[in-house]
Amino acid sequence: MKNFMLFLMTLFLSCHVMAQQTTVTGTITDGTDGSPLIGANVLVKGTGTGSIADVNGKFSVSVPTGKDVLVISCIGYKQQEITLKAGQKVVNVVMKEDSELLDEVVVVGYGTMKKSDLSGASVSMGEDAIKGSIITNLDQSLQGRAAGVTAVQTSGAPGSS
């Protein structure tokens, strides 16, 4: 009976040691001006574990034992894979801009996607088209300049047209 209890204790202790996780924290900043990157994604490669950078560019993610690669990504920046050293708990990342990707990203009302994956019609208008005119509302700036767009000013009150 004594050997059986010793066996069970050893089994439970080994399960506890194998299931340990390390919390890794850090800051993600822009490489050009050092400003924090809000909303940058941090994922542990090969798992569904991840985190998002806060307004100060800080993140905290639990890394399971045996997983040592973090994948850092943000729209408009090159994705980076960082291999953690043994016992490393702080990672500060400087992201480099990827200007080639900026032309390929379209922001839609429910997320972002590549321009090639967008189905339907899309119209883009540069700021120089808006600068030269006197406008009081955004809908006035689109009227007559974006093909297929009809802009109508409403009061926004419930029941109005």
Side-chain angles (χ1 to χ4, degrees):
M1 182 69 176
K2 197 175 208 181
N3 288 340
F4 182 72
M5 291 299 285
L6 183 62
F7 173 74
L8 285 178
M9 287 180 57
T10 307
L11 181 66
F12 287 127
L13 182 62
S14 65
C15 289
H16 177 68
V17 170
M18 290 174 62
Q20 287 183 348
Q21 294 185 349
T22 304
T23 300
V24 176
T25 60
T27 305
I28 304 172
T29 55
D30 184 351
T32 56
D33 62 2
S35 63
L37 286 181
I38 302 166
N41 297 314
V42 181
L43 292 172
V44 180
K45 189 171 185 176
T47 69
T49 306
S51 179
I52 297 176
D54 65 8
V55 294
N56 297 320
K58 296 184 183 295
F59 70 92
S60 176
V61 64
S62 295
V63 180
T65 303
K67 302 291 182 182
D68 61 348
V69 178
L70 295 179
V71 179
I72 318 293
S73 62
C74 188
I75 294 176
Y77 294 87
K78 292 182 180 178
Q79 179 175 306
Q80 293 186 23
E81 289 190 8
I82 299 184
T83 303
L84 300 172
K85 297 177 179 116
Q88 185 176 6
K89 294 188 178 193
V90 177
V91 176
N92 293 319
V93 182
V94 177
M95 299 291 284
K96 297 176 185 143
E97 287 185 2
D98 192 359
S99 59
E100 292 176 14
L101 284 179
L102 289 178
D103 291 337
E104 298 297 320
V105 174
V106 178
V107 177
V108 291
Y110 44 85
T112 59
M113 59 180 42
K114 286 185 178 178
K115 194 172 187 177
S116 60
D117 295 339
L118 180 65
S119 61
S122 65
V123 177
S124 61
M125 228 173 74
E127 70 175 289
D128 54 337
I130 300 172
K131 277 185 182 177
S133 60
I134 299 171
I135 57 169
T136 57
N137 293 326
L138 181 62
D139 61 340
Q140 289 178 352
S141 65
L142 297 174
Q143 186 70 38
R145 291 189 180 95
V149 174
T150 303
V152 179
Q153 183 177 3
T154 62
S155 69
S160 66
S161 60

